[in-house]
Amino acid sequence: MKLIAQISHVDWSPDRAAETTSNLLLKYDNRVDAFACNNSGLASGVIASLELEGLANAEKIFVAGSDADLKNVRYIVQGKQVMDVWKKIDPLAFKAAEIAVEIARNPNKSIESIAKEASQGDLRFALIDNGFAKIPTVVTPVVPITKDNIDSTLIAEKVFSREEVYGKKK
């Protein structure tokens, strides 16, 4: 596999992702095998561009997003996107609140040590380089969402209803 582009877009812009995708498809004569996106909105921009070229087909081009937005979950069902990544909101929100309280209670304690202490169980600590600094990060578990597990994950957890994902009952 050859990485042909690694591009960040301000505000996770689907429009910019679509523009970038169109430019890459033009440059490489529609021979791009995969798009791995750090956000579902970016993946939806990629798919919009692929649709214009008749290439929005998960069997032809691998597209992955992150956040499991409803639009992207529907793309998975429609066979336009291979997968998305879902982060359960409760563990993420509760851990963020817990860390915020710890920072407020201990203003002289380093953020890195607070994050390390918060990384227990199925959580892990990492220093993430965002291009400006290494940010202490608590990484919460993620769930890959595919056609095969939408019902047992997002629908079972009541993130979305069957009707929202698959359409109205007939």
Side-chain angles (χ1 to χ4, degrees), residues 40-166:
S40 291
L42 294 174
S44 68
V46 167
I47 290 172
S49 185
L50 292 174
E51 284 179 325
L52 293 174
E53 296 296 320
L55 297 170
N57 181 331
E59 292 182 20
K60 292 180 182 178
I61 298 181
F62 178 94
V63 178
S66 180
D67 297 330
D69 290 353
L70 179 57
K71 182 177 195 176
N72 297 80
V73 173
R74 287 177 178 159
Y75 285 154
I76 293 169
V77 170
Q78 295 165 6
K80 296 177 181 180
Q81 183 172 327
V82 175
M83 61 147 322
D84 216 287
V85 174
W86 174 48
K87 299 163 214 83
K88 293 183 178 186
I89 298 300
D90 286 353
L92 196 63
F94 286 125
K95 187 53 71 174
E98 177 186 312
I99 291 170
V101 168
E102 187 66 20
I103 291 169
R105 286 186 178 155
N106 299 290
N108 296 325
K109 194 172 187 180
S110 80
I111 302 290
E112 185 172 334
S113 66
I114 290 172
K116 281 182 180 176
E117 290 170 10
S119 302
Q120 301 168 5
D122 59 352
L123 306 178
R124 71 177 177 81
F125 172 80
L127 283 173
I128 306 291
D129 188 341
N130 69 2
F132 300 103
K134 291 188 177 181
I135 307 300
T137 305
V138 177
V139 181
T140 59
V142 297
V143 178
I145 300 298
T146 65
K147 250 185 193 180
D148 297 331
N149 72 353
I150 290 171
D151 290 355
S152 63
T153 55
L154 299 173
I155 293 173
E157 296 268 342
K158 298 186 180 357
V159 175
F160 303 119
S161 69
R162 283 193 63 74
E163 290 75 23
E164 288 175 303
V165 172
Y166 298 105

